Amino acid sequence: MTISGKMLKSAIISGANNIINNKVMVDEMNVFPVPDGDTGTNMSATIKAALTELSLQPDDAHISVIADTAASAMLRGARGNSGVILSLLFRGLSKGLAGKSDADTKELISSMKMGVDAAYKSVMKPTEGTILTVAREAIDAALAKADKKGSLEEVLEVLLAEAEASLERTPELLEVLKKAGVVDAGGMGYVVILKGMKQALTGGGIIEQAAASAVEQASANKAGSFDMDIEFTYCTEYLVLKKPDVTDALLLRAHLETIGDSVVVVDDDEIIKVHVHTENPGNALESGLKFGALTNIKIENMKEQHKQEAIKAGIHTPRKLAPERPEKKYGFVAVANGAGIEGLFSDLGVDRIVRGGQTQNPSTEDILEAVLATPAHNVFILPNNKNIIMAAEQVTKLADRNVIVLQSRTIPQGLAAMLCFDEDIGISENSVAMTKALDNVGTGSVTYAARDSHFEGKKIKSGEILALENGKLAFTEKDVSKALVKLTRKMIKGDTSYITVMYGSDVTDEEAEKAFGVLRDKISDDIEIGLVSGGQPVYYYIISVE
């Protein structure tokens, strides 16, 4: 049977819709209960990137055009390791079908085999019992059937049956899956996509996208509440302890109304309570000083708050960066989230920040855009998350300048790498020095369990506090502050000289300072320790131990 471009287009759309419909089910297969940019979400976002591009292709487009269109869109839209591997599987399909107007069954499966080979080559240490295994075993079985002149329907039947069987065997290959009683999430996502593709290719029609769930719809509706322009950046509040000769605060109100809006001035016998939105909080404070001493001063960046709330609501507003012509020798792009952490990277010389991290894995295109907007001939990328490294590595194939991806898996590792950069030495020397720095810093993090699970023989309940040491579960706790103190003390080694504690958006200044005080009292005076408002979501605390 001849497979046309229209048939492949329908198959990819059907497969995409099926994973989009089932992404929550795939997400729930993730073993580790930490809030994550989960597998189903990443795979569905990756293949969804192809839908718009495919919709622009006419029904009579050659199969090579359809395959290349999908592969290119997915490469740029790839999110997370599972998304990158999925994009590589389709990139192989594109290469195998290059120049063809249509294809027979064996050509289709042989092209899929090229994708498996490419995916294995792109992973430094391929792990069996994952999507790689499921794809390889399924396609090998289908290719054997195609060699025996099986029909398209027969070959696809073998392909799907072996994919499902391989998926069921994944716990035998990965002990962590066996202990958790689940199959591999990436493998499951691949099977879901194959089911959608098979249905379309064998005359069953395209699987349509289901209506958004109530939760997803509520999140989408919530977007409207963040779709606004904030004219004045700083919400400024304070109390004035009135001077004896102050009788009327109207002059203070009048001045504040000239420098901002949302002015509230409440005057009583002893104090004046002030609230104003302004671009110049210093001016607002100086005007208050004319009426007395100031106390209870609070200044908040409303634009940053607005951004963080939008992130929590799952709303991503792409920020298009204009490409810049390379001018300097070195440049840096870092993935980070939280005003304080972003500020640390900027202070160390990072040119562009890609907002993202644990629950918001940026796409390859997001990272590429930041690289092209960096005016340097050589750009170092700091992914700062193990699930973003592969997406970053794809940028090396797309950028018009030299890109070096450092294997930073955490925020502290990224910061340590930047501290080791030396402008006066070469690219290779810097790459080696910065990579070595990754091993000289320990990373602790305090977060919460996103779901009920069994992990390493321990039953974990949703919402329970998790303490992670270098990405591995150290212990669980009921109290965030106690977890911080216990984890930090656990991580201290004989040669530890410096500790930085970064607190997140869900921890108040008062809570952080109180917990930090307890921690300070329990640590040797020989160790220097600092507290930083990181502003990061998901993690209550990120701890850097050097």
Side-chain angles (χ1 to χ4, degrees), residues 403-435:
V403 174
I404 308 97
V405 180
L406 298 174
Q407 304 291 301
S408 58
R409 300 161 72 89
T410 68
I411 292 296
Q413 284 190 340
L415 294 170
M418 284 302 302
L419 285 167
C420 285
F421 174 74
D422 186 345
E423 180 79 34
D424 297 325
I425 62 177
I427 299 171
S428 297
E429 293 86 349
N430 266 310
S431 296
V432 170
M434 295 171 81
T435 298

Side-chain angles (χ1 to χ4, degrees), residues 131-355:
I131 181 176
L132 292 172
T133 305
V134 175
R136 174 176 56 79
E137 293 183 343
I139 291 168
D140 282 349
L143 197 54
K145 184 67 175 179
D147 284 337
K148 295 177 181 178
K149 308 299 182 183
S151 67
L152 176 63
E153 187 165 351
E154 290 171 338
V155 170
L156 293 179
E157 191 67 41
V158 169
L159 175 70
L160 184 56
E162 183 58 30
E164 291 176 327
S166 180
L167 177 64
E168 291 303 315
R169 292 192 294 267
T170 56
E172 300 304 318
L173 298 174
L174 276 179
E175 187 68 18
V176 67
L177 298 176
K178 190 173 185 178
K179 286 182 177 180
V182 297
V183 295
D184 178 66
M188 175 179 278
Y190 184 65
V191 169
V192 169
I193 291 169
L194 287 182
K195 285 182 178 179
M197 294 182 69
K198 175 180 178 292
Q199 176 170 313
L201 286 171
T202 54
I206 296 174
I207 293 175
E208 300 294 336
Q209 277 191 45
S213 69
V215 173
E216 291 173 322
Q217 190 60 50
S219 178
N221 291 342
K222 193 173 181 181
S225 65
F226 298 101
D227 186 16
M228 56 181 285
D229 292 325
I230 298 174
E231 183 177 358
F232 295 103
T233 305
Y234 300 98
C235 174
T236 306
E237 299 179 41
Y238 57 86
L239 295 179
V240 181
L241 304 179
K242 291 170 62 174
K243 295 177 181 178
D245 57 344
V246 172
T247 59
D248 194 343
L250 286 178
L251 289 177
L252 177 57
R253 177 193 293 274
H255 175 71
L256 293 174
E257 287 180 343
T258 66
I259 63 169
D261 65 9
S262 300
V263 176
V264 177
V265 176
V266 179
D267 184 15
D268 68 14
D269 293 339
E270 297 180 349
I271 65 169
I272 305 170
K273 182 174 177 59
V274 175
H275 173 280
V276 60
H277 294 172
T278 179
E279 282 299 299
N280 192 335
N283 190 324
L285 296 177
E286 287 182 9
S287 61
L289 281 171
K290 297 176 182 178
F291 292 79
L294 305 186
T295 186
N296 290 28
I297 299 171
K298 183 179 179 182
I299 301 172
E300 293 181 330
N301 185 320
M302 294 187 295
K303 291 181 179 178
E304 179 61 26
Q305 287 181 323
H306 170 89
K307 181 196 74 180
Q308 293 298 333
E309 289 301 317
I311 289 171
K312 288 180 183 179
I315 300 158
H316 173 65
T317 303
R319 180 181 52 143
K320 289 296 180 183
L321 300 173
E324 293 194 23
R325 192 173 70 181
E327 295 176 352
K328 58 182 181 176
K329 185 175 181 180
Y330 295 118
F332 303 90
V333 169
V335 179
N337 204 340
I341 289 176
E342 292 174 25
L344 290 175
F345 278 108
S346 295
D347 291 344
L348 289 173
V350 169
D351 299 271
R352 296 290 181 183
I353 301 292
V354 178
R355 293 197 175 100

Side-chain angles (χ1 to χ4, degrees), residues 81-93 95 111-128 130-133 135-136 139 190 390 393-394 397:
N81 294 341
S82 57
V84 172
I85 291 172
L86 182 64
S87 74
L88 292 171
L89 293 173
F90 276 85
R91 172 54 62 188
L93 178 70
K95 289 183 178 179
S111 298
M112 294 175 71
K113 175 66 173 174
M114 291 179 67
V116 171
D117 294 341
Y120 265 91
K121 289 177 182 177
S122 292
V123 179
M124 188 173 296
K125 294 181 179 179
T127 300
E128 298 299 340
T130 65
I131 181 176
L132 292 172
T133 305
R136 174 176 56 79
I139 291 168
Y190 184 65
M390 284 190 73
E393 287 174 337
Q394 305 313 302
K397 307 170 186 177

Side-chain angles (χ1 to χ4, degrees), residues 308 311-312 336-339 341 356 358-360 447-448 504-506 534-540 542:
Q308 293 298 333
I311 289 171
K312 288 180 183 179
N337 204 340
I341 289 176
Q358 188 68 8
T359 56
Q360 294 93 31
T447 185
Y448 60 92
S505 58
D506 291 323
Q536 71 275 4
V538 180
Y539 294 111
Y540 300 112
I542 295 175

